[in-house]
Amino acid sequence: KVDAIKFFLKDLSGIKATQQTTIKFESLITQILKGEPEKPSIDATEWRALDDEISQTDLGWVAGIMDGEGFISILRGKNPDRLYLSIGVGNTDARIVKKLHFLLGGSIDSTRQYHPKYKTIWMWRLNGKEACKILTVIMPFLVSKREEAYLALEFGTTLRGYHRGNPVPEEVKKERTILYNMIKVFKKNGPFKSSFKQVLMEPDSRPAIEGEV
């Protein structure tokens, strides 16, 4: 038998983190898998109050589009040590993408398909802190991507205060790597959450992990 949370962390990160970081992510995983995540500790004074500028109807629409057609990702840059947050929506209906751009800013591009049978794909994207602002106000409306949004916002808490003269500490880099791996697992194994929750809530039923003594 093995502690499910610690195994999950070990399986995800493959890096040596401090005890403080380990405890932090044990708590984070527990909250998410129990369906009781708290909003990450983002200082509200640093984020534009988008919910005062956009109607609740439009915020609900944005969340629905993100759930059905969008992505929330932590990606690697050209420099493999650089991780960044990106959200976006791709659709063949340019009106959807243009409305997102009108409401939220960001960038738009299009990819013309070589075969005349297929329509042009329009893509809206928003990165970094600006993406966090959007996720903060639409998270109450999200359903299928709620956990990914939570992890992305947690990643957002590591983005502030670092620059060339104040480089990112190694422990923060480890936190970012853990979140990068976690969000990939949630994307790939979304349905696993209910079964993993059962393992979490019922310690006596935890399966033995192959190779564990």
Side-chain angles (χ1 to χ4, degrees), residues 57-58 61-62 94-105 108 124:
T57 299
D58 280 335
W61 177 81
V62 170
R95 295 171 298 177
I96 291 175
V97 173
K98 289 178 180 179
K99 181 173 180 177
L100 287 165
H101 184 259
F102 173 77
L103 290 172
L104 309 174
I108 293 178
W124 168 81

Side-chain angles (χ1 to χ4, degrees), residues 76-92:
R76 290 198 182 276
K78 292 182 180 179
N79 178 349
D81 292 333
R82 179 179 176 267
L83 298 173
Y84 67 96
L85 173 64
S86 183
I87 65 174
V89 170
N91 203 282
T92 56

Side-chain angles (χ1 to χ4, degrees), residues 11 14 20 36 38 52 61 82 95 99 106 144 146-147 151 162-163 200-201 206:
D11 186 54
Q20 181 179 0
E36 303 170 352
E38 300 175 0
D52 292 336
W61 177 81
R82 179 179 176 267
R95 295 171 298 177
K99 181 173 180 177
S144 65
R146 184 174 177 82
E147 293 85 3
L151 294 171
Y162 305 115
H163 48 76
L200 174 66
M201 300 300 291
R206 293 173 187 162

Side-chain angles (χ1 to χ4, degrees), residues 18-98:
T18 65
Q19 183 177 10
Q20 181 179 0
T21 297
T22 301
I23 292 172
K24 172 182 176 179
F25 282 98
E26 285 178 356
S27 174
L28 184 149
I29 294 169
T30 302
Q31 290 174 20
I32 290 177
L33 295 178
K34 285 184 177 180
E36 303 170 352
E38 300 175 0
K39 187 176 289 188
S41 55
I42 294 176
D43 184 352
T45 61
E46 297 191 24
W47 304 91
R48 184 159 53 101
L50 286 173
D51 47 352
D52 292 336
E53 302 175 16
I54 303 175
S55 71
Q56 293 296 297
T57 299
D58 280 335
L59 288 176
W61 177 81
V62 170
I65 293 295
M66 285 298 301
D67 266 336
E69 304 288 341
F71 65 85
I72 301 172
S73 299
I74 298 170
L75 304 171
R76 290 198 182 276
K78 292 182 180 179
N79 178 349
D81 292 333
R82 179 179 176 267
L83 298 173
Y84 67 96
L85 173 64
S86 183
I87 65 174
V89 170
N91 203 282
T92 56
D93 190 334
R95 295 171 298 177
I96 291 175
V97 173
K98 289 178 180 179

